[in-house]
Coordinates of all heavy atoms in Angstrom, one line a residue:
M1384 N 92.8 -143.3 -71.5 CA 93.5 -142.9 -70.3 C 94.9 -142.5 -70.6 O 95.6 -143.4 -71.2 CB 93.3 -144.0 -69.3 CG 93.9 -143.8 -68.0 SD 93.2 -145.0 -66.8 CE 92.3 -143.8 -65.8
P1385 N 95.4 -141.4 -70.2 CA 96.8 -141.0 -70.5 C 97.8 -141.8 -69.6 O 97.6 -141.9 -68.4 CB 96.8 -139.5 -70.2 CG 95.7 -139.3 -69.2 CD 94.7 -140.3 -69.5
V1386 N 98.8 -142.3 -70.3 CA 99.8 -143.1 -69.6 C 101.0 -142.1 -69.3 O 101.1 -141.1 -69.9 CB 100.3 -144.3 -70.3 CG1 99.1 -145.2 -70.6 CG2 101.0 -143.9 -71.6
M1387 N 101.8 -142.6 -68.4 CA 103.0 -141.8 -68.1 C 104.2 -142.8 -67.9 O 104.0 -143.8 -67.3 CB 102.8 -140.9 -66.9 CG 104.0 -140.0 -66.6 SD 103.7 -138.9 -65.2 CE 103.7 -137.4 -66.1
H1388 N 105.3 -142.4 -68.4 CA 106.5 -143.2 -68.2 C 107.4 -142.4 -67.3 O 107.4 -141.2 -67.4 CB 107.2 -143.6 -69.5 CG 106.4 -144.5 -70.4 ND1 105.5 -144.1 -71.3 CD2 106.4 -145.9 -70.4 CE1 104.9 -145.1 -71.8 NE2 105.4 -146.2 -71.3
F1389 N 108.2 -143.1 -66.5 CA 109.2 -142.4 -65.7 C 110.5 -143.2 -65.7 O 110.5 -144.4 -65.6 CB 108.7 -142.0 -64.3 CG 108.2 -143.2 -63.5 CD1 108.9 -143.7 -62.4 CD2 107.0 -143.8 -63.8 CE1 108.4 -144.7 -61.7 CE2 106.5 -144.8 -63.1 CZ 107.2 -145.3 -62.0
K1390 N 111.6 -142.5 -65.9 CA 112.9 -143.1 -65.9 C 113.6 -142.9 -64.5 O 113.6 -141.8 -64.0 CB 113.8 -142.6 -66.9 CG 115.2 -143.3 -67.0 CD 116.1 -142.6 -68.0 CE 115.6 -142.9 -69.4 NZ 116.6 -142.4 -70.5
V1391 N 114.1 -144.0 -63.9 CA 114.7 -143.9 -62.6 C 116.2 -144.4 -62.7 O 116.5 -145.2 -63.6 CB 114.0 -144.8 -61.6 CG1 112.5 -144.2 -61.4 CG2 114.0 -146.2 -61.9
Q1392 N 117.0 -143.9 -61.8 CA 118.4 -144.4 -61.7 C 118.5 -145.0 -60.4 O 118.3 -144.4 -59.3 CB 119.3 -143.2 -61.9 CG 120.8 -143.6 -61.8 CD 121.7 -142.5 -62.0 OE1 121.6 -141.5 -61.2 NE2 122.5 -142.5 -63.0
W1393 N 118.9 -146.3 -60.4 CA 119.1 -147.0 -59.1 C 120.4 -146.6 -58.5 O 121.2 -146.0 -59.1 CB 119.0 -148.5 -59.4 CG 117.6 -149.0 -59.8 CD1 117.2 -149.2 -61.1 CD2 116.5 -149.1 -59.0 NE1 115.9 -149.5 -61.1 CE2 115.4 -149.5 -59.8 CE3 116.3 -149.0 -57.6 CZ2 114.1 -149.7 -59.3 CZ3 115.0 -149.2 -57.1 CH2 113.9 -149.6 -57.9
P1394 N 120.6 -147.0 -57.2 CA 121.8 -146.6 -56.5 C 123.1 -147.1 -57.2 O 124.2 -146.4 -57.0 CB 121.7 -147.3 -55.1 CG 120.2 -147.3 -54.9 CD 119.6 -147.6 -56.3
D1395 N 123.1 -148.1 -58.0 CA 124.3 -148.6 -58.7 C 124.5 -147.9 -60.0 O 125.4 -148.2 -60.8 CB 124.3 -150.1 -58.8 CG 123.2 -150.6 -59.8 OD1 122.4 -149.8 -60.2 OD2 123.1 -151.8 -60.0
G1396 N 123.7 -146.9 -60.3 CA 123.8 -146.2 -61.6 C 123.0 -146.7 -62.8 O 122.9 -146.1 -63.8
T1397 N 122.5 -147.9 -62.6 CA 121.7 -148.5 -63.7 C 120.3 -147.7 -63.8 O 119.8 -147.2 -62.8 CB 121.4 -150.0 -63.5 OG1 120.7 -150.2 -62.3 CG2 122.6 -150.8 -63.6
E1398 N 119.8 -147.6 -65.0 CA 118.5 -146.9 -65.2 C 117.5 -147.9 -65.7 O 117.8 -148.9 -66.3 CB 118.7 -145.8 -66.2 CG 119.6 -144.7 -65.7 CD 119.7 -143.5 -66.7 OE1 119.2 -143.6 -67.8 OE2 120.2 -142.5 -66.2
A1399 N 116.2 -147.5 -65.3 CA 115.1 -148.3 -65.7 C 114.0 -147.4 -66.2 O 113.8 -146.4 -65.6 CB 114.6 -149.2 -64.6
N1400 N 113.3 -147.8 -67.3 CA 112.1 -147.1 -67.7 C 110.9 -147.8 -67.1 O 110.8 -149.0 -67.2 CB 112.1 -147.2 -69.3 CG 113.2 -146.4 -69.9 OD1 113.4 -145.2 -69.6 ND2 113.8 -147.0 -70.8
C1401 N 110.1 -146.9 -66.5 CA 108.9 -147.5 -65.7 C 107.6 -146.9 -66.4 O 107.6 -145.9 -67.0 CB 109.0 -147.1 -64.3 SG 110.5 -147.7 -63.4
Y1402 N 106.6 -147.7 -66.1 CA 105.3 -147.4 -66.7 C 104.2 -147.1 -65.7 O 104.2 -147.8 -64.6 CB 104.8 -148.6 -67.6 CG 103.4 -148.6 -68.0 CD1 103.0 -147.9 -69.1 CD2 102.4 -149.2 -67.2 CE1 101.6 -147.8 -69.5 CE2 101.1 -149.2 -67.6 CZ 100.7 -148.5 -68.7 OH 99.4 -148.4 -69.1
S1403 N 103.4 -146.1 -65.9 CA 102.2 -145.9 -65.1 C 101.0 -145.7 -66.0 O 101.1 -145.0 -67.1 CB 102.4 -144.6 -64.3 OG 101.1 -144.3 -63.6
P1404 N 99.9 -146.3 -65.7 CA 98.7 -146.2 -66.6 C 98.0 -144.8 -66.4 O 97.0 -144.5 -67.1 CB 97.8 -147.3 -66.1 CG 98.1 -147.4 -64.6 CD 99.6 -147.2 -64.6
S1405 N 98.6 -144.0 -65.5 CA 97.9 -142.7 -65.2 C 99.0 -141.7 -65.0 O 100.1 -142.0 -64.5 CB 97.1 -142.9 -64.0 OG 96.7 -141.6 -63.5
T1406 N 98.7 -140.4 -65.2 CA 99.6 -139.3 -64.9 C 99.7 -139.1 -63.4 O 100.5 -138.2 -63.0 CB 99.1 -138.0 -65.6 OG1 97.8 -137.7 -65.2 CG2 99.2 -138.2 -67.2
V1407 N 99.0 -139.8 -62.6 CA 99.1 -139.6 -61.2 C 100.5 -139.7 -60.6 O 100.9 -139.1 -59.6 CB 98.2 -140.6 -60.4 CG1 98.7 -142.0 -60.5 CG2 98.0 -140.2 -59.0
V1408 N 101.4 -140.5 -61.3 CA 102.8 -140.6 -60.9 C 103.5 -139.3 -60.8 O 104.3 -139.1 -60.0 CB 103.5 -141.6 -61.8 CG1 103.9 -141.0 -63.1 CG2 104.7 -142.1 -61.1
G1409 N 103.0 -138.3 -61.6 CA 103.6 -137.0 -61.6 C 103.2 -136.2 -60.3 O 103.9 -135.2 -60.0
E1410 N 102.3 -136.7 -59.5 CA 102.0 -136.1 -58.2 C 102.8 -136.7 -57.1 O 102.9 -136.2 -56.0 CB 100.5 -136.4 -57.9 CG 99.5 -135.7 -58.9 CD 98.1 -136.1 -58.6 OE1 97.8 -136.6 -57.5 OE2 97.3 -136.0 -59.6
F1411 N 103.6 -137.7 -57.4 CA 104.4 -138.4 -56.4 C 105.9 -138.2 -56.6 O 106.7 -138.4 -55.7 CB 104.1 -139.9 -56.4 CG 102.7 -140.2 -55.8 CD1 101.6 -140.2 -56.6 CD2 102.6 -140.6 -54.5 CE1 100.3 -140.4 -56.0 CE2 101.4 -140.8 -53.9 CZ 100.2 -140.8 -54.7
F1412 N 106.3 -137.9 -57.9 CA 107.7 -137.8 -58.2 C 108.0 -136.5 -58.9 O 107.1 -136.0 -59.7 CB 108.2 -138.9 -59.0 CG 108.1 -140.3 -58.4 CD1 107.3 -141.3 -58.9 CD2 108.8 -140.5 -57.2 CE1 107.2 -142.5 -58.3 CE2 108.7 -141.8 -56.6 CZ 107.9 -142.7 -57.1
V1413 N 109.2 -136.0 -58.7 CA 109.7 -134.8 -59.4 C 110.9 -135.2 -60.2 O 111.9 -135.8 -59.6 CB 110.0 -133.6 -58.4 CG1 110.6 -132.5 -59.1 CG2 108.8 -133.2 -57.7
A1414 N 111.0 -134.9 -61.5 CA 112.2 -135.2 -62.3 C 113.4 -134.5 -61.7 O 113.4 -133.3 -61.3 CB 112.0 -134.7 -63.7
G1415 N 114.5 -135.3 -61.6 CA 115.7 -134.8 -61.1 C 115.9 -135.0 -59.6 O 117.0 -134.8 -59.0
Q1416 N 114.8 -135.3 -58.9 CA 114.8 -135.5 -57.4 C 115.3 -136.9 -57.1 O 115.0 -137.9 -57.7 CB 113.4 -135.3 -56.9 CG 113.2 -135.4 -55.4 CD 113.8 -134.2 -54.7 OE1 113.7 -133.1 -55.1 NE2 114.5 -134.5 -53.6
R1417 N 116.1 -136.9 -56.0 CA 116.5 -138.2 -55.4 C 115.6 -138.5 -54.2 O 115.2 -137.6 -53.4 CB 118.0 -138.1 -54.9 CG 118.9 -137.9 -56.0 CD 120.4 -138.0 -55.5 NE 121.3 -137.9 -56.6 CZ 121.7 -138.9 -57.4 NH1 121.2 -140.1 -57.1 NH2 122.5 -138.8 -58.4
Y1418 N 115.3 -139.8 -54.0 CA 114.5 -140.3 -52.9 C 115.2 -141.4 -52.2 O 115.8 -142.2 -52.9 CB 113.1 -140.8 -53.5 CG 112.3 -139.7 -54.2 CD1 112.5 -139.5 -55.6 CD2 111.4 -138.9 -53.5 CE1 111.8 -138.5 -56.2 CE2 110.7 -137.9 -54.2 CZ 110.9 -137.7 -55.6 OH 110.2 -136.8 -56.2
A1419 N 115.0 -141.4 -50.9 CA 115.5 -142.5 -50.1 C 114.8 -143.8 -50.7 O 113.6 -143.7 -51.1 CB 115.2 -142.4 -48.7
L1420 N 115.5 -144.9 -50.8 CA 115.0 -146.1 -51.4 C 113.6 -146.5 -50.8 O 112.7 -146.7 -51.6 CB 116.0 -147.3 -51.2 CG 115.5 -148.6 -51.7 CD1 115.5 -148.5 -53.3 CD2 116.5 -149.7 -51.2
S1421 N 113.4 -146.5 -49.5 CA 112.1 -146.9 -49.0 C 111.0 -145.9 -49.3 O 109.9 -146.3 -49.6 CB 112.2 -147.0 -47.5 OG 112.6 -145.8 -46.8
D1422 N 111.4 -144.6 -49.4 CA 110.4 -143.6 -49.8 C 110.0 -143.7 -51.2 O 108.9 -143.6 -51.6 CB 111.0 -142.2 -49.5 CG 110.0 -141.1 -49.7 OD1 108.8 -141.2 -49.4 OD2 110.4 -140.0 -50.2
F1423 N 111.0 -144.0 -52.1 CA 110.7 -144.2 -53.5 C 109.8 -145.4 -53.7 O 108.8 -145.2 -54.4 CB 112.0 -144.4 -54.3 CG 111.8 -144.9 -55.7 CD1 111.4 -143.9 -56.6 CD2 111.8 -146.2 -56.1 CE1 111.1 -144.3 -57.9 CE2 111.6 -146.6 -57.4 CZ 111.2 -145.6 -58.3
V1424 N 110.1 -146.5 -53.0 CA 109.2 -147.7 -53.2 C 107.8 -147.4 -52.7 O 106.8 -147.7 -53.3 CB 109.8 -148.9 -52.5 CG1 108.8 -150.1 -52.5 CG2 111.1 -149.3 -53.2
K1425 N 107.7 -146.7 -51.5 CA 106.4 -146.3 -51.0 C 105.6 -145.4 -51.9 O 104.4 -145.7 -52.2 CB 106.6 -145.6 -49.6 CG 105.3 -145.2 -49.0 CD 105.6 -144.4 -47.7 CE 104.3 -143.8 -47.1 NZ 104.6 -142.9 -46.0
R1426 N 106.3 -144.4 -52.5 CA 105.6 -143.5 -53.4 C 105.2 -144.3 -54.7 O 104.1 -144.1 -55.2 CB 106.5 -142.4 -53.8 CG 106.7 -141.4 -52.7 CD 107.9 -140.4 -53.1 NE 108.2 -139.5 -52.1 CZ 107.7 -138.2 -52.1 NH1 107.0 -137.8 -53.1 NH2 108.0 -137.4 -51.1
A1427 N 106.1 -145.1 -55.2 CA 105.7 -145.9 -56.4 C 104.5 -146.8 -56.1 O 103.6 -146.9 -57.0 CB 106.9 -146.7 -56.8
R1428 N 104.5 -147.4 -55.0 CA 103.4 -148.4 -54.6 C 102.1 -147.6 -54.6 O 101.1 -148.0 -55.2 CB 103.7 -149.0 -53.3 CG 102.7 -150.1 -52.8 CD 103.1 -150.7 -51.5 NE 104.4 -151.4 -51.6 CZ 105.5 -151.2 -50.9 NH1 105.5 -150.3 -49.9 NH2 106.6 -151.9 -51.1
E1429 N 102.1 -146.5 -54.0 CA 100.9 -145.7 -53.9 C 100.4 -145.2 -55.2 O 99.3 -145.3 -55.6 CB 101.0 -144.5 -52.9 CG 99.7 -143.8 -52.6 CD 99.8 -142.8 -51.4 OE1 100.9 -142.8 -50.7 OE2 98.8 -142.1 -51.2
A1430 N 101.4 -144.6 -56.0 CA 101.0 -144.1 -57.3 C 100.5 -145.1 -58.3 O 99.5 -144.9 -59.0 CB 102.2 -143.4 -57.9
L1431 N 101.2 -146.3 -58.3 CA 100.8 -147.3 -59.2 C 99.5 -148.0 -58.8 O 98.7 -148.4 -59.6 CB 101.9 -148.4 -59.4 CG 103.1 -147.8 -60.1 CD1 104.3 -148.7 -60.0 CD2 102.8 -147.5 -61.6
H1432 N 99.2 -148.1 -57.5 CA 97.9 -148.6 -57.1 C 96.8 -147.6 -57.4 O 95.7 -148.1 -57.9 CB 97.9 -148.9 -55.5 CG 98.5 -150.2 -55.2 ND1 97.9 -151.4 -55.5 CD2 99.6 -150.5 -54.5 CE1 98.6 -152.4 -55.1 NE2 99.7 -151.9 -54.5
I1433 N 97.0 -146.3 -57.3 CA 96.0 -145.4 -57.7 C 95.8 -145.5 -59.2 O 94.6 -145.5 -59.6 CB 96.4 -143.9 -57.3 CG1 96.4 -143.8 -55.8 CG2 95.6 -142.9 -58.0 CD1 97.0 -142.5 -55.2
G1434 N 96.9 -145.5 -60.0 CA 96.7 -145.7 -61.4 C 95.9 -146.9 -61.8 O 95.1 -146.9 -62.7
S1435 N 96.2 -148.0 -61.1 CA 95.5 -149.3 -61.4 C 94.0 -149.1 -61.1 O 93.2 -149.6 -61.8 CB 96.1 -150.4 -60.6 OG 95.5 -151.6 -60.9
E1436 N 93.7 -148.5 -60.0 CA 92.3 -148.3 -59.6 C 91.6 -147.4 -60.5 O 90.4 -147.5 -60.8 CB 92.2 -147.8 -58.1 CG 92.6 -148.8 -57.1 CD 91.7 -150.1 -57.3 OE1 90.4 -149.9 -57.3 OE2 92.2 -151.2 -57.4
R1437 N 92.3 -146.4 -61.1 CA 91.7 -145.5 -62.1 C 91.3 -146.3 -63.3 O 90.2 -146.1 -63.9 CB 92.6 -144.4 -62.5 CG 92.7 -143.3 -61.4 CD 93.6 -142.2 -61.7 NE 93.6 -141.2 -60.7 CZ 94.3 -140.1 -60.7 NH1 95.0 -139.8 -61.8 NH2 94.3 -139.2 -59.7
V1438 N 92.1 -147.3 -63.7 CA 91.8 -148.2 -64.8 C 90.6 -149.0 -64.4 O 89.7 -149.2 -65.2 CB 93.0 -149.1 -65.2 CG1 92.6 -150.2 -66.1 CG2 94.1 -148.2 -65.7
R1439 N 90.5 -149.5 -63.2 CA 89.4 -150.3 -62.8 C 88.1 -149.5 -62.8 O 87.1 -150.0 -63.3 CB 89.6 -150.8 -61.3 CG 88.5 -151.7 -60.8 CD 88.5 -152.0 -59.4 NE 89.8 -152.5 -58.9 CZ 90.2 -153.8 -59.0 NH1 89.4 -154.7 -59.6 NH2 91.4 -154.2 -58.6
E1440 N 88.2 -148.2 -62.4 CA 87.0 -147.4 -62.4 C 86.5 -147.2 -63.9 O 85.3 -147.1 -64.1 CB 87.3 -146.0 -61.8 CG 87.5 -146.1 -60.3 CD 88.0 -144.8 -59.7 OE1 88.1 -143.8 -60.4 OE2 88.4 -144.8 -58.5
K1441 N 87.4 -147.0 -64.8 CA 87.0 -146.7 -66.2 C 86.7 -148.0 -67.0 O 85.7 -148.0 -67.7 CB 88.2 -146.0 -66.9 CG 87.8 -145.6 -68.3 CD 88.8 -144.6 -68.8 CE 88.3 -144.1 -70.2 NZ 89.1 -143.0 -70.7
Y1442 N 87.4 -149.1 -66.7 CA 87.2 -150.3 -67.6 C 86.7 -151.5 -66.8 O 86.4 -152.5 -67.5 CB 88.6 -150.7 -68.3 CG 89.1 -149.6 -69.2 CD1 90.2 -148.8 -68.8 CD2 88.5 -149.3 -70.4 CE1 90.6 -147.8 -69.6 CE2 88.9 -148.3 -71.2 CZ 90.0 -147.6 -70.8 OH 90.5 -146.6 -71.7
G1443 N 86.6 -151.4 -65.5 CA 86.1 -152.6 -64.8 C 87.1 -153.6 -64.3 O 86.7 -154.6 -63.8
F1444 N 88.4 -153.4 -64.6 CA 89.4 -154.3 -64.1 C 90.7 -153.5 -63.8 O 90.9 -152.5 -64.4 CB 89.7 -155.4 -65.2 CG 90.0 -154.8 -66.5 CD1 91.2 -154.5 -66.9 CD2 88.9 -154.7 -67.5 CE1 91.5 -153.9 -68.2 CE2 89.2 -154.2 -68.7 CZ 90.5 -153.8 -69.1
A1445 N 91.5 -154.1 -62.9 CA 92.7 -153.4 -62.5 C 93.7 -153.5 -63.6 O 93.6 -154.3 -64.6 CB 93.3 -154.1 -61.3
C1446 N 94.7 -152.6 -63.6 CA 95.7 -152.6 -64.6 C 96.9 -153.5 -64.2 O 97.7 -153.2 -63.3 CB 96.3 -151.2 -64.8 SG 97.6 -151.0 -66.0
S1447 N 96.9 -154.7 -64.9 CA 98.0 -155.6 -64.6 C 99.4 -155.1 -64.9 O 100.3 -155.4 -64.2 CB 97.7 -157.0 -65.3 OG 97.7 -156.8 -66.7
A1448 N 99.5 -154.2 -65.9 CA 100.8 -153.6 -66.2 C 101.3 -152.8 -65.1 O 102.5 -152.8 -64.8 CB 100.7 -152.8 -67.5
A1449 N 100.5 -152.0 -64.4 CA 100.9 -151.2 -63.3 C 101.3 -152.1 -62.1 O 102.4 -151.8 -61.5 CB 99.7 -150.3 -62.8
L1450 N 100.6 -153.2 -61.9 CA 101.0 -154.1 -60.8 C 102.3 -154.9 -61.1 O 103.1 -155.1 -60.3 CB 99.8 -155.1 -60.5 CG 98.5 -154.3 -60.1 CD1 97.4 -155.3 -59.9 CD2 98.7 -153.5 -58.9
D1451 N 102.5 -155.2 -62.4 CA 103.7 -155.8 -62.9 C 104.9 -154.8 -62.7 O 106.0 -155.2 -62.2 CB 103.7 -156.2 -64.3 CG 102.7 -157.4 -64.6 OD1 102.4 -158.1 -63.6 OD2 102.4 -157.7 -65.7
Q1452 N 104.7 -153.6 -63.0 CA 105.7 -152.6 -62.8 C 106.1 -152.4 -61.4 O 107.2 -152.3 -61.0 CB 105.3 -151.2 -63.4 CG 106.3 -150.1 -63.3 CD 107.6 -150.4 -64.1 OE1 107.6 -150.4 -65.3 NE2 108.6 -150.8 -63.4
L1453 N 105.1 -152.4 -60.5 CA 105.3 -152.3 -59.1 C 106.2 -153.5 -58.6 O 107.1 -153.3 -57.9 CB 104.0 -152.2 -58.3 CG 104.2 -152.2 -56.8 CD1 105.1 -151.0 -56.3 CD2 102.8 -152.1 -56.1
A1454 N 105.8 -154.7 -59.1 CA 106.6 -155.9 -58.7 C 108.0 -155.8 -59.1 O 109.0 -156.1 -58.4 CB 105.9 -157.1 -59.3
Q1455 N 108.3 -155.2 -60.3 CA 109.6 -155.0 -60.8 C 110.4 -154.0 -60.0 O 111.6 -154.2 -59.7 CB 109.6 -154.6 -62.3 CG 109.2 -155.7 -63.2 CD 108.9 -155.1 -64.6 OE1 109.4 -154.0 -65.0 NE2 108.3 -155.9 -65.5
I1456 N 109.7 -153.0 -59.6 CA 110.4 -151.9 -58.7 C 110.7 -152.6 -57.4 O 111.8 -152.4 -56.9 CB 109.4 -150.7 -58.6 CG1 109.4 -149.9 -59.9 CG2 109.9 -149.8 -57.4 CD1 108.4 -148.8 -59.9
E1457 N 109.8 -153.3 -56.8 CA 110.0 -153.9 -55.5 C 111.1 -154.9 -55.5 O 112.0 -155.0 -54.6 CB 108.7 -154.5 -54.9 CG 107.7 -153.5 -54.6 CD 106.4 -154.1 -54.2 OE1 106.0 -155.2 -54.6 OE2 105.6 -153.4 -53.4
E1458 N 111.2 -155.7 -56.6 CA 112.3 -156.7 -56.8 C 113.6 -156.0 -56.9 O 114.6 -156.4 -56.3 CB 112.0 -157.6 -58.0 CG 113.0 -158.7 -58.1 CD 112.7 -159.6 -59.3 OE1 111.5 -159.7 -59.7 OE2 113.6 -160.2 -59.9
A1459 N 113.7 -155.0 -57.8 CA 114.9 -154.2 -58.0 C 115.4 -153.6 -56.7 O 116.6 -153.6 -56.3 CB 114.8 -153.2 -59.1
A1460 N 114.5 -153.0 -55.9 CA 114.8 -152.3 -54.7 C 115.4 -153.3 -53.6 O 116.3 -152.9 -52.8 CB 113.6 -151.7 -54.1
L1461 N 115.1 -154.6 -53.7 CA 115.6 -155.5 -52.7 C 117.1 -155.6 -52.8 O 117.8 -155.8 -51.8 CB 115.0 -156.9 -53.0 CG 113.6 -157.1 -52.5 CD1 113.1 -158.5 -52.9 CD2 113.4 -156.9 -51.0
R1462 N 117.7 -155.4 -54.0 CA 119.1 -155.4 -54.2 C 119.9 -154.4 -53.4 O 121.0 -154.6 -53.0 CB 119.5 -155.2 -55.7 CG 119.0 -156.3 -56.6 CD 119.4 -156.1 -58.0 NE 118.8 -154.8 -58.5 CZ 119.3 -154.1 -59.5 NH1 120.4 -154.4 -60.1 NH2 118.7 -153.0 -59.9
F1463 N 119.2 -153.3 -53.0 CA 119.8 -152.2 -52.4 C 119.3 -152.0 -50.9 O 119.8 -151.1 -50.2 CB 119.6 -150.9 -53.2 CG 120.0 -151.0 -54.6 CD1 119.0 -151.2 -55.6 CD2 121.3 -151.1 -55.0 CE1 119.3 -151.3 -56.9 CE2 121.6 -151.3 -56.3 CZ 120.6 -151.4 -57.3
A1464 N 118.5 -152.8 -50.5 CA 117.8 -152.7 -49.2 C 118.8 -152.7 -48.0 O 118.5 -152.2 -46.9 CB 116.7 -153.7 -49.0
V1465 N 119.9 -153.3 -48.2 CA 120.9 -153.4 -47.0 C 121.6 -152.1 -46.8 O 122.3 -151.9 -45.8 CB 121.9 -154.6 -47.3 CG1 121.2 -155.9 -47.3 CG2 122.7 -154.4 -48.5
D1466 N 121.6 -151.2 -47.8 CA 122.3 -149.9 -47.7 C 121.3 -148.8 -47.2 O 120.4 -148.4 -47.9 CB 122.8 -149.5 -49.1 CG 123.6 -148.2 -49.0 OD1 123.7 -147.6 -48.0 OD2 124.1 -147.8 -50.1
P1467 N 121.5 -148.4 -46.0 CA 120.5 -147.4 -45.4 C 120.6 -146.0 -46.1 O 119.8 -145.2 -46.0 CB 120.9 -147.3 -43.9 CG 122.3 -147.8 -43.9 CD 122.5 -148.8 -45.0
Q1468 N 121.7 -145.8 -46.9 CA 121.9 -144.5 -47.6 C 121.4 -144.6 -49.1 O 121.6 -143.6 -49.8 CB 123.4 -144.1 -47.6 CG 124.0 -144.0 -46.2 CD 123.3 -143.0 -45.3 OE1 122.9 -141.9 -45.8 NE2 123.0 -143.3 -44.1
A1469 N 120.9 -145.7 -49.5 CA 120.5 -145.9 -50.9 C 119.4 -144.9 -51.3 O 118.5 -144.7 -50.6 CB 120.0 -147.4 -51.1
E1470 N 119.7 -144.4 -52.5 CA 118.7 -143.4 -53.0 C 118.4 -143.8 -54.5 O 119.2 -144.3 -55.2 CB 119.3 -142.0 -53.0 CG 119.4 -141.4 -51.6 CD 119.9 -140.0 -51.7 OE1 120.7 -139.6 -52.6 OE2 119.5 -139.2 -50.8
V1471 N 117.2 -143.4 -54.9 CA 116.8 -143.6 -56.3 C 116.5 -142.2 -56.8 O 115.8 -141.4 -56.2 CB 115.5 -144.5 -56.4 CG1 115.1 -144.6 -57.8 CG2 115.7 -145.8 -55.7
K1472 N 117.1 -142.0 -58.0 CA 116.8 -140.7 -58.7 C 115.8 -140.9 -59.8 O 115.9 -141.8 -60.5 CB 118.1 -140.2 -59.3 CG 118.0 -138.8 -60.0 CD 119.3 -138.4 -60.7 CE 119.1 -137.1 -61.4 NZ 120.3 -136.6 -62.0
V1473 N 114.8 -140.0 -59.8 CA 113.8 -139.9 -60.8 C 114.4 -139.1 -61.9 O 114.5 -137.8 -61.7 CB 112.5 -139.4 -60.4 CG1 111.5 -139.3 -61.6 CG2 111.9 -140.4 -59.3
V1474 N 114.9 -139.7 -63.0 CA 115.6 -139.0 -64.0 C 114.7 -138.1 -64.8 O 115.0 -136.9 -65.1 CB 116.4 -139.9 -65.0 CG1 117.1 -139.2 -66.1 CG2 117.3 -140.8 -64.2
E1475 N 113.6 -138.6 -65.3 CA 112.6 -137.9 -66.0 C 111.2 -138.5 -66.0 O 111.1 -139.7 -65.7 CB 113.0 -137.7 -67.5 CG 113.2 -139.0 -68.3 CD 113.8 -138.7 -69.7 OE1 113.7 -137.6 -70.1 OE2 114.3 -139.7 -70.3
L1476 N 110.2 -137.6 -66.2 CA 108.8 -138.0 -66.3 C 108.4 -137.8 -67.8 O 108.6 -136.7 -68.3 CB 108.0 -137.2 -65.4 CG 108.3 -137.4 -63.9 CD1 107.5 -136.3 -63.1 CD2 108.0 -138.7 -63.4
L1477 N 107.9 -138.8 -68.4 CA 107.5 -138.6 -69.8 C 106.0 -138.9 -70.0 O 105.5 -139.7 -69.5 CB 108.3 -139.6 -70.7 CG 109.8 -139.6 -70.5 CD1 110.5 -140.8 -71.1 CD2 110.4 -138.3 -71.2

């Protein structure tokens, strides 16, 4: 199953490398695009759940790495949730 990595820049300028077990993440994000924080988290949640389910369909179990990545994204997003203007930039899709 082809994996995909995506690099994001949080509102404070820090960057994080993220993992998806599937290229489906490319259907949810565009490199160079900025997303409102809540939209970014929503898209990441949907993409990573789809990726995890694709692993389940192929191997019979969910992808724990995708769910761990989602938890990391959700935890990081909490730091910026008080700012209604917070945006996350998808730096690149690899």
Side-chain angles (χ1 to χ4, degrees):
M1384 181 160 248
V1386 303
M1387 182 173 250
H1388 292 88
F1389 55 109
K1390 183 184 287 188
V1391 301
Q1392 183 180 59
W1393 293 102
D1395 66 356
T1397 60
E1398 292 186 348
N1400 292 311
C1401 301
Y1402 166 85
S1403 171
S1405 168
T1406 57
V1407 70
V1408 75
E1410 297 174 20
F1411 289 84
F1412 297 118
V1413 175
Q1416 182 71 40
R1417 293 185 177 277
Y1418 299 88
L1420 180 67
S1421 61
D1422 185 37
F1423 171 77
V1424 173
K1425 178 182 173 191
R1426 288 168 181 262
R1428 187 176 294 124
E1429 189 170 351
L1431 291 169
H1432 277 293
I1433 290 170
S1435 180
E1436 286 305 307
R1437 287 183 178 179
V1438 170
R1439 182 189 309 277
E1440 290 169 9
K1441 186 168 185 171
Y1442 298 106
F1444 52 86
C1446 179
S1447 61
L1450 301 178
D1451 289 346
Q1452 181 63 73
L1453 177 58
Q1455 291 171 14
I1456 288 171
E1457 291 174 334
E1458 182 178 334
L1461 287 175
R1462 295 181 296 156
F1463 310 105
V1465 296
D1466 180 1
Q1468 303 301 317
E1470 292 183 328
V1471 179
K1472 179 180 180 182
V1473 175
V1474 177
E1475 60 185 342
L1476 300 170
L1477 307 165

